[in-house]
Amino acid sequence: MQQRKAVLVSRPQGEPKASDFRIVDAELPDPAAGQVAVAVEHLSIDAFIRTTLDARDGHHGSMDLNAPVTALGVGRVVASASDDLAVGDAVFGPLGAQTHAVLPAAMLRKLDVSDVPARAYLGALGMTTGLTAYAGMVCVGDVGPDDTVVVSAAAGAVGSVACQIAGIKGARVIGIAGGADKCAFLTETIGCDAAVDYKAGNLSKALKAAAPDGIDLFFDNVGGEVLDAVLENIAKEARVVICGAISQYNDMEHVRGPANYLRIPERNARMLGFTVDHYMARFPEMEADIREWMKGGRLDLPEHVVEGIDHFPDAIVMLMSGGNRGKLLVAP
Ligand SMILES: NC(=O)c1ccc[n+]([C@@H]2O[C@H](COP(=O)([O-])OP(=O)(O)OC[C@H]3O[C@@H](n4cnc5c(N)ncnc54)[C@H](OP(=O)(O)O)[C@@H]3O)[C@@H](O)[C@H]2O)c1
């Protein structure tokens, strides 16, 4: 059987370009003892992928040149040399940017697809998406009905779920996104009470107008200037939850820290960071809550699916330049 892969051929300097990647065909090896072959159905385009393209060995490691790009995915087992997984099983794992993968069964999770499609385990039920939003909003941020909440990159995958969870918990939710269309998406589809376009200029003033009594909880996916504008507007005893800082990922050698950090002591506020894997023991509880909200029609994560492994590089470029609404997936 043949497999097709998107491999990294040059490390991006700044913004990634499609020419940093190449599409190659190869023979799919037979699974060795304990391994399975998987036909990949969907790949998750996550912000952390950008940091793995650098030579610098960051939090998520550095991937090798000429290897399939690091990516989490879901697929079906098509050949098995393992007692733990059978042909036809739906699985999740580090499948990589390719049409087929051969991996040890121990690296894969068998999925229950009786009431949700497999790709939901990359989106609303995904570790890097829905569970991240839950961990940051509930476990770290302790969101409640009296909070005015702001979420940055709110129209993206983590942000869209974070906004909806805050709404379910009774908070007033303000999303920050780039452009009028994304702001309309936030209020009309995601259910935000208000949306602010950070590209329209003077974000701090716009936030002041949207949250005149101050921001109690900020869920930050962006960092940089957006974080500074929100810090200017935090309420007394605010919680600032650092989920990520995508505005910094194209130049991790020169990460810009917040200039307005003195608002933290002045307003008796707290700045807290987290990685989703730290909350692994709570994943079953988080998944159960999200499933209930999905079933009850209270939580829905729109998907943006790019067709074809040949377009995997375009999807990476798209994520880093704000082309996606909701969860960005590639269907190889
Ligand atoms: N802590 C954890 O364990 C954990 C786990 C998973 C993800 N994360 C973090 O969650 C965040 C969201 O990731 P995601 O995979 O869900 O991506 P995403 O939000 O679906 O997509 C990224 C979005 O970020 C915005 N963006 C890109 N560059 C920007 C810039 N320079 N300034 C402002 N906004 C920019 C774009 O939206 P606009 O068009 O609105 O600019 C883009 O659509 C990332 O920071 C990621 O690192 C953290």
Side-chain angles (χ1 to χ4, degrees):
M1 193 188 286
Q2 287 286 112
Q3 63 178 162
R4 191 160 239 227
K5 322 174 192 193
V7 303
L8 181 69
V9 289
S10 60
R11 300 202 183 274
Q13 303 299 315
E15 287 180 22
K17 303 179 296 299
S19 57
D20 294 322
F21 306 89
R22 187 176 299 149
I23 306 301
V24 297
D25 293 311
E27 192 72 28
L28 186 71
D30 289 329
Q35 293 186 331
V36 293
V38 178
V40 181
E41 291 177 348
H42 288 95
L43 292 164
S44 179
I45 306 301
D46 288 303
F48 84 87
I49 296 175
R50 171 62 188 89
T51 66
T52 68
L53 307 180
D54 292 338
R56 182 181 170 278
D57 196 9
H59 179 67
H60 295 286
S62 168
M63 65 161 291
D64 293 334
L65 289 176
N66 299 307
V69 179
T70 309
L72 298 168
V74 294
R76 292 268 170 189
V77 175
V78 291
S80 177
S82 157
D83 293 336
D84 298 325
L85 289 173
V87 170
D89 282 346
V91 292
F92 160 85
L95 301 180
Q98 50 197 346
T99 56
H100 298 79
V102 172
L103 286 170
M107 289 177 70
L108 300 169
R109 172 185 173 189
K110 186 175 165 179
L111 299 176
D112 174 2
V113 289
S114 56
D115 60 350
V116 291
R119 64 181 189 278
Y121 291 90
L122 302 176
L125 294 169
M127 184 173 77
T128 56
T129 300
L131 302 188
T132 296
Y134 190 117
M137 195 52 85
V138 178
C139 308
V140 184
D142 194 22
V143 64
D146 297 331
D147 288 327
T148 293
V149 174
V150 170
V151 177
S152 60
V158 171
S160 292
V161 182
C163 288
Q164 291 179 70
I165 292 176
I168 289 166
K169 297 288 182 182
R172 176 164 184 266
V173 187
I174 302 163
I176 301 176
D181 286 354
K182 280 197 176 181
C183 286
F185 168 75
L186 287 174
T187 51
E188 290 163 16
T189 306
I190 298 301
C192 288
D193 298 289
V196 176
D197 175 5
Y198 75 92
K199 291 183 177 167
N202 209 334
L203 177 59
S204 180
K205 196 173 160 199
L207 287 168
K208 177 82 188 153
D213 296 330
I215 295 157
D216 302 301
L217 172 56
F218 177 41
F219 186 110
D220 190 21
N221 291 311
V222 168
E225 292 173 10
V226 170
L227 172 57
D228 269 328
V230 177
L231 285 174
E232 205 54 60
N233 288 284
I234 54 174
K236 282 185 183 159
E237 299 184 15
R239 293 93 74 206
V240 176
V241 177
I242 306 297
C243 173
I246 195 166
S247 70
Q248 306 299 305
Y249 296 171
N250 281 330
D251 188 7
M252 291 292 279
E253 297 290 343
H254 303 98
V255 170
R256 180 200 145 145
N260 283 338
Y261 81 97
L262 289 180
R263 301 299 93 79
I264 299 280
E266 288 164 10
R267 296 181 197 171
N268 286 283
R270 284 172 291 155
M271 188 180 277
L272 309 145
F274 76 100
T275 59
V276 64
D277 51 298
H278 184 71
Y279 293 90
M280 201 172 284
R282 293 184 63 178
F283 284 1
E285 166 205 341
M286 296 181 186
E287 269 194 27
D289 280 350
I290 293 173
R291 255 175 213 284
E292 275 309 302
W293 295 331
M294 289 169 77
K295 267 190 214 155
R298 303 181 75 193
L299 193 152
D300 178 41
L301 176 57
E303 292 166 348
H304 188 137
V305 182
V306 173
E307 297 288 339
I309 194 69
D310 292 16
H311 295 294
F312 185 93
D314 304 326
I316 296 287
V317 173
M318 183 189 284
L319 189 90
M320 296 307 296
S321 54
N324 64 305
R325 285 180 196 187
K327 180 68 195 177
L328 185 57
L329 298 166
V330 169

